[in-house]
Amino acid sequence: MYYGDFLVKRALLSVSDKEGIVEFAHELSKFGVEIISTGGTGRILQENGIEVTDVSEITNFPEMMEGRIKTLHPMIHGGVLCLRENSNHIEEAKMANIKLIDMVVVNLYPFEVTVSKDGVNLDEAIEYIDIGGPTLLRSAAKNYQSVAVISDPNDYGTVLKEMRSSGIVSDKTKKHLAVKAFRHTANYDSAIDTYLSKELLDEEVIRLNFTQGRQLRYGENWHQNATFYKEPDVTGPSLANTKQLHGKALSYNNYVDADNALQTVKQLGNEKPSVAIVKHNNPCGLATGDSLNDALRAAWDGDPISAFGSIICTNTTFDLETAQFLKGKFVELVLAPDYEPEALEFLKNKSDNIRILELPELNDKSNIDYTYKYITGGLLKQSKDVGTHKKWECVTETPFPENKKPLGEFCINACKSTKSNAVTLAYEYKEGCYMMLAMGAGQPNRVDSIRKLAATKARENLQVIYERENPDMDFEKYCEQVMSNCVMASDAFFPFDDSVIHANEYNIKYILSPGGSIRDNEVIDTANRLGISLVFTEMRHFLH
């Protein structure tokens, strides 16, 4: 009964997901494998001309209690759990007339699907709790040295390929399949726990599942350890799906900053080429352009100093002209959906260390609905911050021009990705093309975000642009002209009118705020007195 090498003689097939099971069983039959099956799986196989031994013929016991009892029997589990190298096990199996089972093919109906259907009650949900399936998977996975356990139809091809080439299933594959089976049952049990905890105990339970842990060089700082884990089966625009084309392995901070850059770019859509430049988890540069090169240059002008050692993300193919702009400029990482071959070669030659990531799905819609943040001893879960404004209400005598609304929406998107208390200044540097001229981030004092950071930084950036473009006017006049056409967005409402007063000192005339302060009327009165257009959006965008 012990076959030495791992030759599959008998296989038990009982699956919920029947994709590919008929074809797989056909191939097993060609190898002379005896197929044991149950219920619906057995019927489908027989209807397709495959000889099947019903489980009840093995156990000499009928299915009973509406199918609750089928495979839970020593004749089945003895054949799965028997250790082939253990002579006592083999002898006991012979005495009990238990025949060995070398392969178990089982997958479980997704419990989440059941309980997510309209009108499903507790009794119905409980009937979908599989007992025999998980037990079979765990038995086979426990004895993976002797039993191949397949819980995913995607693995049928791998197993058949090995059997065709060598007649056996390799140890490496059996180990992989065993771990996959335990994960399958763990996720299944987790779904049941989450549902029943709510239904029976009125407790909210969350169980997160992340795999493929990859050790990083260090964490936020040199003395900290760090690992990156991937969410299984994640699709779409995620750093977990990027392909690294060049450079050193990503660091902890690279992941954090690149995710900020990715989310920031995605908020702008893909109607125009867009670029986000992120440093220390804040966008220090953000722009759209008629070309990618225009967008990168404008984003760089948002803070040329902070752009040193930054993360760059764009929503369109990275071309050679854009790559050449980075000559002599140190950046940590570039993320794009694609690269022109010449641009990729240029970036590779620029530095051995620059990390180049490709994410073809970058512009796809994200299916992630929640964000999570771990704090010591606890986990916070919240829905994603989606949208820019709930309303667009100009509350002042000075109207907000309709043609400035796209610039205003761009400004809010920049503010959403900037740490609170945040203020961003946005400028239409070219018709239909926008740039974040400056921002103030992470200040406990919201007023400092305007007067000490965003406004003063804007003047510094304009000084650089002024000297490069040499406009036919003095610098103060140039500043006044640009700032008077900027839009300022705040992630917070204004509890006092001081923010409006300081904005006016720098000739900022268009302001966006959530509104909602008990002193809104005072703020509006001050804006009217200063000739400022103030829009309330009724949507706050704090980011901590």
Side-chain angles (χ1 to χ4, degrees), residues 397-398 497-505 507-509 511 523-533:
E397 297 166 359
T398 302
D497 64 359
D498 46 7
S499 296
V500 175
I501 292 171
H502 288 300
N504 182 68
E505 290 172 356
N507 210 38
I508 298 168
K509 297 298 182 182
I511 300 176
V523 174
I524 294 169
D525 289 343
T526 299
N528 283 331
R529 176 171 57 82
L530 298 174
I532 287 175
S533 175

Side-chain angles (χ1 to χ4, degrees), residues 88-117:
N88 290 333
H89 282 208
I90 295 296
E91 187 60 30
E92 288 178 7
K94 286 181 178 179
M95 291 177 64
N97 200 26
I98 293 174
K99 294 182 179 180
L100 303 184
I101 296 174
D102 311 302
M103 178 180 288
V104 169
V105 184
V106 171
N107 55 61
L108 311 172
Y109 187 79
F111 188 77
E112 300 98 323
V113 174
T114 301
V115 297
S116 66
K117 291 179 179 178

